[in-house]
Structures are given as structure tokens and as C-alpha cells.
Amino acid sequence: MAQLLHFRATTASIKEKLRCTYDRILMTPGLFETARLTEYNVRLVAKHFFPRDHSQTKQPSNTRNPSLFPVTQCLLLRASPPCHGATSRSILAILAPYPDFTQFSGALASTGIAAEIDDHTSITVLAVDNAVMEQLQEPRLQHDDLRRAMSLQVLLEYFDDSNLQHLQGGFMQVASLYQAAVNITVLRGGHLAFAQSGGHSAAPPAVIYQRSVVESPYDIAVLQVSALISYPAAGFTHLLSKNGCGGFAGVVAATPDAAATYGRDAGAGLTVFCPDDNAVAAFMPTFNNLTGDGQTALLLYHGVAAHYCEQSLKRVNGAVRTLATDGSKSYNLTIHADGDTVKLSATAQSAAKVTKAAVDKAPLAVYLIDAVLFPGELSNVV
């Protein structure tokens, strides 16, 4: 059944794209000769999808073929609906009846992603509600950052609820409008999740499929998901700043590799242990003496690629791998609960305790801590 669904989706997508290409050729002056030269290829493809319509395949001649229009039109337009495009449907109009998606719709419009969606067929839009989008309400957010986040929410294949529920092998990788791959994974319990391919997180992706909003078979589907696949770095640091982590947020923002990693993993499940402003100020002389790689590693040491709510954090009682871990070094952080107090330790000389839960809404948790954590792996780079 899954193979049949995938075949039908692929077949419909190819028919649609062939039909749209033909329409554009007819409407564009000077492309008739190009159309004539491609008729042979069109006939070959049509043999697979319109078996009763194709005639004997011949190589194109060097003279203009006056029968091109009726022959190709018969091949591409027979028993087919009108070509979808910018003038036939609008993602903004599709989302208009749904008040929970007004901010998402606004972001699509302001970044120009809406126009690109309207120009594509066989596409899936992963929409998030206003509560998720409110985390991006930052005046200093760069246009390119927001555009990247929105484009990752658009998949260049059609998936409706039925397609997802019958995902062959429980996994699929698909291109996004940003041209970065997105992984679709079936989790335990049958839940479906999305994550950017190549992300840092080793934990299960936390962008969870919630419901189908709109389905126009093999043209466009709008699905609601729980979070953005990638969180804009500027929006992430602003979120830290407004929750008592201004000093740490400023240092992260000034360290491009750290900012990019935090921004990317925020949508895939992330816990951040954020030193308060006094702790950051006291540590800055030491921080400035680190190499560039050392600074990045220290900042990433304060993040764990999984969402830990307060109760789950207290149950860890052991070592967790931080975002600073790479192929050659394991930057582990020890978490231990002492009653209602959660304590963190990097080495015997570097420890901190959690003083406040600043943010705790999946897929992101931010905890304020009273000291900067200094991993032992950096002791030789100060």
C-alpha cells in the first residue's frame, strides 16, 4: 500500500510538472523551437503515464512541426485538471480561515516564501501556530534568518495524512524549499517527527506532526507541527535575553558557530544551562584568553541536545553529552538532583546549580545557573 501511494504521488507530480512546463512554453515568445525539439522526450515520458495516448515515437525533424500543439496538448492535458500556479491558488488564502496561523502566514508573506509556495506544485507546508511564532517576535531578527526558518518548513514533495501514516520503512528524507534535506521519522508509539538532516542532536527529533489542516491531493498540503525545524539564531538569543540570560546570549550571538548550532538544535529538542549575568561578567577575562575553538566549545558545553522538563531533569542523575562533543572529544556534563535542587558539574573545580527554570516549553528548556561551567577538556587551552 505504501509503495502504491508513493507511486501515485510521483506519477501525479510528474504529470503536473509536464503540464505546467508546456503551458509556460506556449505563453513565452521564442520558445516554440525549444518546445519542438523536446517533443520527442515528452512522448517518451508520456508512454509511461498515458499509455493509450502516445503515438509511434519518432525523432524530431529539422523542420517546424505544425502538429506539435495538438499532439503535445493531447499528451499533457488529456483528462487533467488545470495547471496550478501563482494565479490558481494562494497559500495566504488557504491559511486565511485559520486564526491560529496568522503569524505564520504573515512570516510567509514578509519573507517572500508565500510567493515561492504559490509557484510550486506537489508541495507540503509545515505550519506552526501563533504560540510558536511569538518566540520569533524580535525587531532585530534578520530577514535572511527568518526566511531560512520559513523555507525549511516547506517540503518539495506532497505528503498528506495518509502518506505519512504509511511511510515506508518508517523514514524518508525530502528536500525543502531551502534546499536542505529534512528527515521524516516514525517514532515509537507511531508519532511522526521532522528534523533537519545533519543536525547535531542525537536525541529523537522534537518537531512532531499534530494534524492535517488542508489537503489538495498531490498539489498542496498544510500540516500543523509542534515547532520550527530550525530556530533563527537571533530569535534564540533574544529569547535568552528576555529571560535573564542577556550576558550569555550576547556572547553566543558574537560567536557565529555557537549561535548557528544553538539555533539549529532549538527546533530538534534542546536544553540550555544559562549562567546568570553576574557569573558571565566574572568569567569574561578567562573566556577572552581561550582560543576561538575553545570559546565555541565552552558555549556549546552549556547545551544538551534533548528537551528536559524540570521533572525529567531531576531524574537524569548521571552524565549527558553536550553540544560541544565532537568526533575527537566527549564533552560530558554531570547532572545530579539533591532534593529539589539540581546540581551540575564539569570537573571537581567547576560546578553550578540551577536557580530558575526560565523557559520550559517543548522542544526548548532554558535553566538559569549560578556559575559558568568549565569543561576539563579545555584546561590546556586557557
Side-chain angles (χ1 to χ4, degrees):
M1 176 61 72
Q3 288 178 326
L4 178 60
L5 288 170
H6 181 68
F7 173 77
R8 287 176 176 172
T10 303
T11 300
S13 175
I14 292 174
K15 288 181 181 179
E16 182 77 7
K17 290 174 181 176
L18 284 171
R19 189 168 57 252
C20 289
T21 300
Y22 177 74
D23 285 350
R24 291 183 182 117
I25 288 172
L26 295 186
M27 293 184 292
T28 306
L31 288 185
F32 185 93
E33 290 302 318
T34 303
R36 178 184 60 76
L37 292 172
T38 60
E39 182 180 11
Y40 175 68
N41 294 327
V42 171
R43 287 174 184 266
L44 289 178
V45 175
K47 289 177 68 175
H48 293 279
F49 299 107
F50 301 88
R52 291 190 300 270
D53 289 343
H54 70 87
S55 57
Q56 185 178 0
T57 304
K58 297 180 180 180
Q59 292 287 350
S61 65
N62 291 326
T63 60
R64 180 164 176 163
N65 183 357
S67 66
L68 170 67
F69 285 4
V71 171
T72 312
Q73 195 168 24
C74 176
L75 290 174
L76 298 181
L77 304 182
R78 179 178 172 87
S80 301
C83 177
H84 292 289
T87 59
S88 62
R89 56 120 164 102
S90 163
I91 183 60
L92 301 182
I94 290 172
L95 292 174
Y98 302 93
D100 288 346
F101 300 126
T102 54
Q103 293 189 33
F104 181 77
S105 182
L108 292 179
S110 66
T111 57
I113 297 298
E116 294 192 38
I117 292 173
D118 294 344
D119 198 41
H120 280 76
T121 58
S122 191
I123 201 165
T124 303
V125 179
L126 305 177
V128 295
D129 62 22
N130 294 336
V132 174
M133 292 300 297
E134 283 174 1
Q135 300 177 19
L136 299 180
Q137 300 309 304
E138 161 56 35
R140 292 171 294 175
L141 190 64
Q142 295 296 312
H143 177 272
D144 288 348
D145 289 335
L146 182 59
R147 179 178 171 81
R148 176 180 182 275
M150 292 297 101
S151 60
L152 274 168
Q153 299 295 119
V154 182
L155 308 182
L156 297 181
E157 288 190 38
Y158 175 86
F159 293 96
D160 56 22
D161 184 80
S162 179
N163 297 147
L164 291 175
Q165 299 302 333
H166 297 88
L167 196 66
Q168 187 175 9
F171 176 84
M172 187 170 185
Q173 192 172 85
V174 60
S176 70
L177 194 59
Y178 187 69
Q179 298 304 322
V182 172
N183 295 336
I184 308 175
T185 307
V186 179
L187 306 178
R188 288 183 179 179
H191 297 293
L192 288 144
F194 300 84
Q196 183 176 350
S197 179
H200 192 287
S201 177
V207 180
I208 304 299
Y209 168 61
Q210 296 180 321
R211 66 185 177 107
S212 174
V213 180
V214 174
E215 295 178 3
S216 178
Y218 309 119
D219 176 30
I220 185 169
V222 178
L223 310 177
Q224 183 176 358
V225 295
S226 62
L228 295 174
I229 292 174
S230 180
Y231 205 99
F236 173 76
T237 54
H238 172 69
L239 183 65
L240 294 181
S241 296
K242 72 178 185 180
N243 284 283
C245 299
F248 185 74
V251 179
V252 169
T255 311
D257 288 346
T261 300
Y262 274 119
R264 181 189 63 214
D265 283 15
L270 179 65
T271 298
V272 182
F273 299 106
C274 181
D276 62 36
D277 290 350
N278 289 335
V280 172
F283 187 78
M284 284 310 295
T286 301
F287 181 82
N288 290 333
N289 285 331
L290 294 173
T291 64
D293 289 345
Q295 291 177 351
T296 298
L298 184 134
L299 295 173
L300 294 179
Y301 187 73
H302 289 75
V304 177
H307 171 253
Y308 289 105
C309 66
E310 288 191 79
Q311 292 304 314
S312 63
L313 187 65
K314 292 177 182 178
R315 292 194 294 266
V316 173
N317 282 327
V320 295
R321 187 168 62 177
T322 69
L323 296 180
T325 298
D326 58 27
S328 59
K329 295 182 180 179
S330 296
Y331 286 81
N332 292 330
L333 172 66
T334 300
I335 302 175
H336 174 71
D338 183 6
D340 288 333
T341 302
V342 176
K343 297 180 179 180
L344 312 173
S345 58
T347 64
Q349 293 75 35
S350 178
K353 65 180 180 180
V354 174
T355 59
K356 176 185 176 182
V359 177
D360 187 8
K361 183 177 181 181
L364 178 65
V366 179
Y367 296 98
L368 208 62
I369 60 177
D370 62 358
V372 174
L373 296 165
F374 192 88
E377 290 82 357
L378 295 181
S379 59
N380 61 342
V381 297
V382 178

